Amino acid sequence: MLDVTKILGSEEWCRLEEMGIPAIKARVDSGAKTSSIQANKIKIFTKGLEDWVRFEVNPLQDNRSISILCQAKLYDVRNVKSSQGISEERPVIKTPVTIGDETFEIELTLANRDTMEYRMLLGREALNGRFLVDPSKSFCQGDVPQDEITRKYRPFMTEKSGLTLGLLASNPELYSNKRIVEAGELRGHKVVFLNVENVYMKLDAGSPEIRYRGGNILDKFDAVIPRIKPSVTFYGCALLRQFDTLGVYCLNTADSITKSRDKLFASQLFSKNDIHIPITGFAKSPMDTKDLIRMVNGSPLIIKLLESTQGKGVVLAETNKAAESVINAFKSVQTNILVQEFIKEANGQDIRCFVVNGKVVASMQRQAQKGEFRANIHQGGAASLVKITPEERKLAIKSAKVLNLDVAGVDIIRSNRGPLLLEVNSSPGLEGIENATGMDIANVMIETIEKKLKYSR
């Protein structure tokens, strides 16, 4: 008969002494074959004649500031299918694990478990022949109280020296997001990537909260840098309002982002504030299509979805007949569009001015590919350094100010009647303009946060 001390619950505390991890809570999952541990900054290197792997572990699900640097001999690299059914290659190591008074060697795959509630998973290969599992219980091999956790991890806690910044975005691998993290860390700050879809909130007059998947309360941030993609604008802006409620500075507010994403409202604000834009029309009924086309000086003309970005959802109609067909097709599926005059003399060129804290910090000219009218880098446009005129500089600064954006990508087109504003982007990309100008714009953004918070190094 199996000893009752050999029973595990659905969650248990583990020690990984060779890796320097004094306590980590694991989910016991007999449905999973392999065991895994949360790991980031994974790097395989050669030590002597052997392959080793270096990685960082955040062992506590409710404290992402504690990070332990580990290294171990690389045992294998395997193709592992995640719980979402996605296959990926993961490094595998072998290490002793202690559960209760039992110590034995297990295989661990190194996986990004940031979005999971548990930092470690114990699969059936580690359990076979050693334990029975009673999923109705927890910590059968002993719980670890909070004061003990604090004592164990006190050596890993460092005094705060810089700011704690949250980067609210969707993809940590994007150039812009990696550059912002890099710039913040180089200036001595802690930058935490927050996936928009893994953040949630508690609305309560007495104790409002923002939490991250797994229950981690996000209450240590000095500022949040929003890099919200259009498809999550509504939810992302709701989160920014919650951060603002908690007294966290947001580099671009929810209100300013919402205005910039609503192209019709933004165009109305620009017109109201004497900011010149290409002649733009908006109508609901297909009965008004012909006059709408005449109103913007006829074809060729530009048709834009109100929620378009990076040049997507923007169409050039070269004849009146084509324009009517496209406009009426959009209206037939209840899609809101803007109709805008086409500036022929621009020859497929526009200017992106990067405005930070009321100043143009860099500018580039974008040239559309041959046969393409959109100069966006995402549409294959080529970027080069450009010297802007005082009038263009003034237009860029005023446009960002009207929307109250601390960071903005302002797109300007040169016409026979002077510079015209095309649009203002509240999450402008850094790659094209940093490469074209050589400017460290990510650093300028971090400096702006420091100024706003009156932080001195």
Side-chain angles (χ1 to χ4, degrees), residues 81-110:
K81 187 174 286 189
S82 71
S83 57
Q84 287 79 34
I86 301 170
S87 293
E88 61 177 354
E89 285 194 339
R90 294 180 185 169
V92 181
I93 64 170
K94 282 188 173 183
T95 188
V97 62
T98 300
I99 305 174
D101 57 4
E102 285 277 322
T103 300
F104 51 96
E105 189 175 66
I106 62 169
E107 294 180 10
L108 277 178
T109 62
L110 307 182

Side-chain angles (χ1 to χ4, degrees), residues 58-274:
N58 302 113
L60 302 180
Q61 64 195 58
D62 59 349
N63 189 339
R64 302 178 80 204
S65 65
I66 293 177
S67 181
I68 297 177
L69 181 63
C70 307
Q71 63 178 27
K73 187 192 296 187
L74 182 66
Y75 176 69
D76 196 6
V77 176
R78 292 183 190 150
N79 199 277
V80 178
K81 187 174 286 189
S82 71
S83 57
Q84 287 79 34
I86 301 170
S87 293
E88 61 177 354
E89 285 194 339
R90 294 180 185 169
V92 181
I93 64 170
K94 282 188 173 183
T95 188
V97 62
T98 300
I99 305 174
D101 57 4
E102 285 277 322
T103 300
F104 51 96
E105 189 175 66
I106 62 169
E107 294 180 10
L108 277 178
T109 62
L110 307 182
N112 184 348
R113 298 183 58 83
D114 271 345
T115 61
M116 304 298 182
E117 185 176 354
Y118 294 88
R119 295 311 201 202
M120 184 172 169
L121 181 144
L122 278 173
R124 61 178 177 272
E125 283 185 340
L127 308 175
N128 284 346
R130 295 189 179 96
F131 301 101
L132 292 177
V133 179
D134 184 347
S136 68
K137 297 179 180 178
S138 294
F139 309 120
C140 294
Q141 297 301 312
D143 199 356
V144 183
Q146 184 57 49
D147 59 346
E148 182 68 7
I149 290 292
T150 302
R151 186 188 66 77
K152 288 177 182 291
Y153 279 101
R154 187 165 288 118
F156 301 96
M157 297 178 185
T158 56
E159 289 298 317
K160 181 179 174 182
S161 57
L163 299 171
T164 301
L165 310 176
L167 177 57
L168 189 65
S170 297
N171 183 357
E173 298 306 314
L174 285 182
Y175 175 93
S176 299
N177 295 337
K178 289 198 287 189
R179 282 288 297 113
I180 289 168
V181 172
E182 180 183 79
E185 291 179 344
L186 281 173
R187 295 186 67 84
H189 307 305
K190 180 177 177 61
V191 186
V192 180
F193 184 87
L194 301 172
N195 188 312
V196 175
E197 296 181 24
N198 294 335
V199 185
Y200 55 104
M201 66 189 103
K202 181 178 98 173
L203 307 176
D204 177 70
S207 57
E209 287 180 351
I210 298 181
R211 297 193 176 204
Y212 204 70
R213 182 168 291 176
N216 185 9
I217 299 175
L218 305 181
D219 60 352
K220 307 294 184 185
F221 291 96
D222 298 295
V224 167
I225 304 165
R227 303 283 305 175
I228 301 168
K229 62 183 181 181
S231 61
V232 292
T233 298
F234 178 82
Y235 190 65
C237 286
L239 292 172
L240 289 177
R241 286 191 293 271
Q242 188 78 348
F243 275 114
D244 180 67
T245 297
L246 297 173
V248 178
Y249 168 69
C250 300
L251 187 65
N252 283 350
T253 65
D255 182 59
S256 62
I257 293 171
T258 301
K259 287 176 182 175
S260 73
R261 294 278 166 87
D262 185 337
K263 285 185 167 48
L264 176 61
F265 185 30
S267 297
Q268 290 173 317
L269 287 173
F270 298 144
S271 297
K272 181 180 179 181
N273 287 276
D274 197 30

Side-chain angles (χ1 to χ4, degrees), residues 306-361:
L306 284 189
E307 64 274 16
S308 64
T309 183
Q310 298 176 349
K312 298 172 185 173
V314 181
V315 178
L316 171 65
E318 298 193 19
T319 67
N320 284 3
K321 188 172 182 181
E324 283 187 52
S325 298
V326 175
I327 292 168
N328 290 334
F330 277 132
K331 288 181 178 177
S332 70
V333 291
Q334 304 298 308
T335 300
N336 288 318
I337 57 169
L338 292 179
V339 177
Q340 199 167 69
E341 71 170 317
F342 179 61
I343 309 300
K344 303 178 186 68
E345 61 269 23
N347 294 318
Q349 292 180 344
D350 70 13
I351 295 170
R352 162 61 64 89
C353 296
F354 210 103
V355 180
V356 182
N357 199 23
K359 294 180 182 177
V360 177
V361 298

Side-chain angles (χ1 to χ4, degrees), residues 403-417:
L403 296 178
N404 197 30
L405 288 167
D406 284 334
V407 174
V410 181
D411 295 340
I412 294 170
I413 197 166
R414 288 171 170 169
S415 77
N416 291 336
R417 57 184 189 270

